[in-house]
Amino acid sequence: MGGEASYAYTVEVEGLKKYYKMGNTIVKALDGINMKIYRGEYLSIMGPSGSGKTTLFNMIGGLDRPTAGKVFIDEVDIAQLDAYELAWLRARKIGYIFQTFNLIPVMTAYENVVLPMIFAGVEAEERRRRALELLDRVGLLKFKDHKPYELSGGQQQRVAIARALANNPAIVLADEPTGNLDLETGMEIIKLLKELNEEREVTIITATHDIKMLAVSDRIAWLRDGKIQRIEKRSEVRFKVYKVEG
Amino acid sequence: MKKQIITEGKIYFPLSETLKLVIENIMKRLTRALLTMSGIVLSIAFYTTLMLTASALKYTLGAQQVISEYYWWMLFLAFLVSATGITNSVLMAVAERVREIGTLKCLGAMDKHILEMFILENAFIGAIGGVVGFIVGIIAAIVLNASTIGISSFFAIPGIEFLKALLSSILISTVLSVVMSSYPAYRAAKLQPAEALRSVA
């Protein structure tokens, strides 16, 4: 996408803060986050619930505005974007995957995958070709005419992954993608995400507390109380089972 | 020079696609649509009954001012109740679909697309409600007046009067529905995606 591909970082976060006011107290959901995310890497943001994972996910994805600090995507400060540019960013630059799948309930699997391509103005024939190819890739071609409620959780998440990739985004953001899935289905989804990360060279950023994710991540950012404790490569992660949090 | 995020292509949501989504939404959430519609149907049926009774009396007896002021006030109240009912019902529909709206925004929908979707949906519901209300109104007019002025008096009404009643029914119901749903639709359009996705609805 574009000529800036030589730039090493696709996401840069600088001094990011998000404070919420709850009554008289201020909750610091994010308290000064700095991180750089390489193009094409698989990064997991790990932390217990309430550590600020989802808030960070929303900030990187341009879904919420920070109290202070900046998020750069391909060197562009996303706080500076107008509504149209922001819609473009969400449609074409970033693909989103959620814990609760968030498929459009009135649409079939196929229509769900096609939808972001409609927003991006992709031609009808190309939409069809890409949607079928993606559904085939995630192994759901024969379920293409099923509605979300006719699919299992794992199948719904596969449709959501196909949808997230429809516009060939540079970044896929996944918020607890395995949170609503059983162990085995969760493993399959993680495996699929890793394969797509390698095949398509798409940057994958997951916010999770699923330790299964450690096995496929290039780097892991440990988040706690709105602060990044450390960012380490997979090879550096040392397991101390009694310290793993969920 | 400021770096641009947009490298190629544009964002748009053609009306034909909005229309498809709107129709599917109405079909799949028929109960909700019917609930919104019911108030419209009743008030339009009342309106049609009054109009046609007035016409029937005018063309058979030559009467001019046959509907008492009392009924016009009743009609006004019926529209008022129906109007607040629409707003209430569309607010509920928006609340039910908050997460879906958040998702659409993540996929590239802009505020105006969400606004368009809800307004169009309710224009449809209003128009259909107008037609159904008109039909119910004719039946009600005939049944209610059968023993007094007789069914035959309705045959005396020229076709153009029916057409006028039908068109004004559709116009009133559509405008009423669009105006009263514009506030909830605006609220839906302004939802922040992060906030919308957080909802547990």
Side-chain angles (χ1 to χ4, degrees), chain A residues 151-239:
Chain A
L151 299 170
S152 71
Q155 289 170 329
Q156 287 190 50
Q157 196 60 299
R158 283 165 185 275
V159 176
I161 291 170
R163 181 178 69 179
L165 291 167
N167 287 325
N168 295 318
I171 304 161
V172 166
L173 278 173
D175 187 13
E176 298 277 10
T178 57
N180 278 9
L181 302 174
D182 62 58
L183 196 74
E184 197 180 331
T185 318
M187 279 303 273
E188 284 167 21
I189 292 295
I190 290 170
K191 198 167 145 269
L192 178 63
L193 283 173
K194 182 61 186 174
E195 286 168 7
L196 293 166
N197 164 244
E198 285 171 348
E199 278 167 31
R200 297 175 164 249
E201 294 173 344
V202 55
T203 309
I204 295 194
I205 305 168
T206 66
T208 185
H209 64 234
D210 185 348
I211 50 167
K212 297 195 291 296
M213 204 66 97
L214 290 174
V216 298
S217 304
D218 296 320
R219 288 195 302 157
I220 296 106
W222 299 90
L223 192 69
R224 180 142 208 180
D225 297 331
K227 290 187 176 117
I228 293 206
Q229 293 186 308
R230 60 188 189 281
I231 301 181
E232 51 193 8
K233 289 185 185 148
R234 181 174 54 224
S235 56
E236 296 166 354
V237 177
R238 274 191 294 269
F239 276 101

Side-chain angles (χ1 to χ4, degrees), chain B residues 23 35 37 46-47 59 63 76 113 124 129 134 138 150 155:
Chain B
I23 291 167
L35 220 61
M37 215 183 275
F46 189 30
Y47 166 78
Y59 286 98
F76 174 73
H113 299 134
F124 265 114
F134 173 75
I138 293 177
F155 294 108

Side-chain angles (χ1 to χ4, degrees), chain A residues 4 20 58 63-64 73-76 81 84-85 87-92 96 98 100 102 104-107 111 115 118-121 127 147 163, chain B residues 2-14 17 21 24-25 28-29 99-100 103-110 113 192-194 197-198:
Chain A
E4 76 283 7
Y20 295 100
N58 287 337
L63 303 178
D64 205 351
I73 292 187
D74 287 335
E75 290 180 274
V76 179
L81 302 181
Y84 183 83
E85 292 171 314
W88 188 93
L89 176 87
R90 290 174 191 153
R92 312 198 44 147
Y96 303 85
F98 306 96
T100 47
N102 290 6
I104 305 295
V106 298
M107 293 182 158
E111 288 167 334
L115 188 61
I118 294 172
F119 283 115
R127 286 198 309 245
K147 293 276 165 65
R163 181 178 69 179
Chain B
K2 188 190 154 207
K3 258 195 98 97
Q4 295 294 319
I5 190 81
I6 299 180
T7 48
E8 54 170 337
K10 51 182 197 264
I11 287 296
Y12 76 132
F13 200 46
E17 294 296 338
L21 194 60
E24 290 206 28
N25 264 325
K28 293 289 130 54
R29 297 180 167 104
R99 199 194 280 269
E100 195 179 318
T103 309
L104 283 172
K105 286 197 158 183
C106 287
L107 300 181
M110 296 176 68
H113 299 134
Q192 287 297 312
L197 291 168
R198 213 180 299 137

Side-chain angles (χ1 to χ4, degrees), chain B residues 92-103:
Chain B
M92 297 275 285
V94 169
E96 270 171 14
R97 276 149 72 177
V98 164
R99 199 194 280 269
E100 195 179 318
I101 295 163
T103 309

Side-chain angles (χ1 to χ4, degrees), chain A residues 27-30 47-55 176 209 223-226:
Chain A
V27 179
K28 296 177 176 179
L30 295 177
S49 7
S51 59
K53 293 188 304 278
T54 299
T55 312
E176 298 277 10
H209 64 234
L223 192 69
R224 180 142 208 180
D225 297 331

